[in-house]
Amino acid sequence: MVASPRQPALQPVPSPSGRGVARLLRHWQLLAAAVVPCLILAGIGWWFWPQQPTSGPPHIAAGTVQADLLGPDSVSRVAGTTVVAGAQSNRPHDPLTVSPSACAVAAGPTTQSVYGQVWTAFVSATYKDAGATGAYTVNQVIGVFPDNAKADAAFATLTKGLNACSSSTRTDQDGRTSKWMYKAQPSTQVAVAWTAAQDGNANWACSHQARVNGTSLVQVTVCQAGDGQPAAAKLADKLTRKVSR
């Protein structure tokens, strides 16, 4: 009978001494002290990290001037052609460089020459033809003032400036000049219409409509070959009804 090999006896694992336990605890305390602040900072960084733009349409808060704008579909139905949203601005541009200087309003009716600096809310939005050919553009402007009197004063500045100018030469930022002719229709206390035609560009013009409604001064411009006044008037009426301030 063959005897089974003798198994080695298991040696007992020595228990750590009090000094070893202290060193172990100290090691974990140092590790925690280093890691926990990093985790906290990472969490704070994630919380305040700027949100990346999404591919969806921007949120438009109800009650703002942006919410009062006519949408591209609504404009397309009136215009009889498909337009898409383009650039927007939340403040009027600086006055244009124009000669004679008295034509600053006629040349830049949606700039600071009319809206000044006392407005409380402002938006200017341009829609272009879907083919991006520049053959058809629509601009909407809403300027809200602190009270009716200031809105009326801005409208008076607009009508006075239109009556003071029949033609002007504009200079753009690149130093190029263009000559424009203006023809205003008789204004009422709340509305005015006029046309700006560029010299040398046959049958192409910008048809303007402006309305004052309470504390708001709205404008619509339709630029196209031919008469854009009927479309501009319809769009201005629709825009004015939407403006509730």
Side-chain angles (χ1 to χ4, degrees), residues 1-227:
M1 188 173 179
V2 179
S4 300
R6 190 182 185 93
Q7 300 294 325
L10 297 175
Q11 298 298 319
V13 178
S15 60
S17 65
R19 182 175 299 177
V21 171
R23 284 199 301 268
L24 184 62
L25 291 176
R26 178 62 178 169
H27 171 76
W28 283 106
Q29 287 174 348
L30 291 174
L31 181 62
V35 172
V36 170
C38 294
L39 294 175
I40 294 175
L41 289 175
I44 294 175
W46 174 85
W47 183 263
F48 288 103
W49 191 266
Q51 296 295 315
Q52 297 299 315
T54 62
S55 57
H59 174 70
I60 298 177
T64 62
V65 287
Q66 287 78 10
D68 287 334
L69 292 171
L70 302 174
D73 290 342
S74 179
V75 172
S76 296
R77 286 192 292 270
V78 174
T81 187
T82 302
V83 296
V84 295
Q88 281 196 22
S89 175
N90 62 359
R91 61 178 55 249
H93 293 295
D94 294 336
L96 299 181
T97 302
V98 60
S99 178
S101 58
C103 288
V105 166
T110 65
T111 68
Q112 293 177 16
S113 295
V114 172
Y115 287 89
Q117 302 281 357
V118 297
W119 47 270
T120 57
F122 183 91
V123 65
S124 173
T126 299
Y127 296 168
K128 299 181 179 181
D129 59 286
T133 64
Y136 195 98
T137 62
V138 175
N139 180 249
Q140 302 175 71
V141 173
I142 305 173
V144 184
F145 293 87
D147 51 49
N148 291 19
K150 289 184 173 59
D152 291 340
F155 182 71
T157 298
L158 174 61
T159 56
K160 183 179 179 181
L162 293 174
N163 292 329
C165 181
S166 60
S167 65
S168 74
T169 299
R170 286 163 44 177
T171 304
D172 64 19
Q173 294 180 344
D174 296 326
R176 296 172 298 190
T177 60
S178 58
K179 187 174 182 179
W180 292 77
M181 282 72 66
Y182 311 101
K183 184 177 181 181
Q185 300 175 9
S187 63
T188 68
Q189 290 184 335
V190 295
V192 65
W194 71 102
T195 301
Q198 187 176 4
D199 187 29
N201 202 338
N203 206 34
W204 192 90
C206 292
S207 300
H208 298 261
Q209 293 272 340
R211 306 276 192 277
V212 62
N213 180 24
T215 61
S216 299
L217 175 59
V218 305
Q219 293 190 52
V220 170
T221 303
V222 174
C223 297
Q224 66 171 87
D227 185 10

